[in-house]
Amino acid sequence: DAMVIQNPRYQVTQFGKPVTLSCSQTLNHNVMYWYQQKSSQAPKLLFHYYDKDFNNEADTPDNFQSRRPNTSFCFLDIRSPGLGDAAMYLCATSPLLRHNTDTQYFGPGTRLTVL
Amino acid sequence: ELKVEQNPLFLSMQEGKNYTIYCNYSTTSDRLYWYRQDPGKSLESLFVLLSNGAVKQEGRLMASLDTKARLSTLHITAAVHDLSATYFCAVDIMDYGGSQGNLIFGKGTKLSVKP
């Protein structure tokens, strides 16, 4: 089945220790998104790619970076995680030209804990 | 400032009762989505609403969209325990600032259905 896959599902890191979260998709969608969702809050868009065109949200901290080496994969790098970065990180995809039933398709998420 | 406001934020219902969740948004948009999120899980797409007057139904849930009033509703009919989850509406600000497909989420409505 076509899907959005995130690894790992749970990640524990130490304060200040870089961490990388990964997302892959078999939907062949042009657009990939990274969201941060803190407990009991709505998802917040960090950045997204249209193919290789990177779009950063204005309030995304510099501590967060992203890479998209090819259509299928996208990575979220947190260079120096702080306690406030503990959250669920959601990857989503969508086609560039959307049909009536298209939405953003979310992966299962990676829950990040910062010690 | 773009705003998507949901109410209520918390809803405790008895099984068999009906209720409506409201989603107001402050910008023009051609798409509105409803998602469901179970605790610790990712977002599951429920409805994609594309035009004024759109109404979609799936089981005990029915969603509608009034683009003139910038209002969407999610109506729950004869609630059952399995509907307990957090429900998010999200507005697609497709042409805002040149970013296509950027979703702005409401804060979510945490629904608890009790016997």
Side-chain angles (χ1 to χ4, degrees):
Chain A
D1 286 342
M3 57 182 10
V4 182
I5 302 162
Q6 289 187 245
N7 285 303
R9 297 290 309 278
Y10 301 90
Q11 175 73 57
V12 180
T13 190
Q14 290 183 330
F15 183 94
K17 185 175 181 181
V19 65
T20 295
L21 310 182
S22 74
C23 176
S24 64
Q25 53 127 342
T26 61
L27 297 161
N28 204 32
H29 285 166
N30 300 95
V31 193
M32 294 187 77
Y33 310 81
W34 278 105
Y35 289 87
Q36 179 193 64
Q37 186 180 25
K38 295 187 177 180
S39 181
S40 301
Q41 296 185 20
K44 179 180 179 298
L45 182 66
L46 295 173
F47 23 61
H48 59 285
Y49 281 91
Y50 296 125
D51 291 322
K52 292 189 175 182
D53 183 22
F54 177 71
N55 297 269
N56 198 32
E57 293 303 298
D59 56 355
T60 298
D62 292 340
N63 198 25
F64 291 86
Q65 303 287 321
S66 185
R67 297 170 283 137
R68 189 178 185 186
N70 53 53
T71 300
S72 301
F73 285 87
C74 194
F75 299 98
L76 170 62
D77 300 308
I78 309 176
R79 292 191 295 188
S80 182
L83 297 179
D85 297 327
M88 174 80 89
Y89 290 88
L90 297 166
C91 174
T93 75
S94 73
L96 187 59
L97 298 176
R98 290 167 295 166
H99 298 290
N100 289 344
T101 56
D102 280 327
T103 178
Q104 287 189 15
Y105 300 86
F106 283 83
T110 295
R111 181 164 296 282
L112 177 67
T113 300
V114 182
L115 301 177
Chain B
E1 182 187 350
L2 303 173
K3 289 184 179 179
V4 179
E5 296 182 343
Q6 277 183 248
N7 69 84
L9 297 182
F10 298 93
L11 178 55
S12 182
M13 298 177 63
Q14 281 193 316
E15 281 191 330
K17 297 294 186 182
N18 305 331
Y19 209 82
T20 300
I21 299 170
Y22 297 89
C23 175
N24 291 91
Y25 53 98
S26 64
T27 186
T28 57
S29 172
D30 69 340
R31 282 174 179 252
L32 187 138
Y33 304 93
W34 284 96
Y35 290 92
R36 169 181 171 146
Q37 187 175 39
D38 291 294
K41 305 289 187 181
S42 189
L43 287 100
E44 174 192 354
S45 178
L46 294 174
F47 300 109
V48 180
L49 301 171
L50 297 177
S51 60
N52 189 41
V55 177
K56 291 197 174 179
Q57 183 163 4
E58 182 73 33
R60 300 174 187 274
L61 300 178
M62 183 173 71
S64 66
L65 178 62
D66 181 344
T67 57
K68 292 180 181 178
R70 298 181 182 173
L71 170 68
S72 180
T73 61
L74 181 66
H75 187 73
I76 303 154
T77 302
V80 293
H81 179 70
D82 286 351
L83 290 179
S84 297
T86 298
Y87 293 85
F88 290 97
C89 66
V91 172
D92 191 325
I93 50 171
M94 188 169 144
D95 293 319
Y96 181 78
S99 290
Q100 188 171 9
N102 189 356
L103 294 187
I104 305 296
F105 282 84
K107 291 185 176 181
T109 297
K110 187 171 183 178
L111 172 65
S112 176
V113 181
K114 301 182 185 302

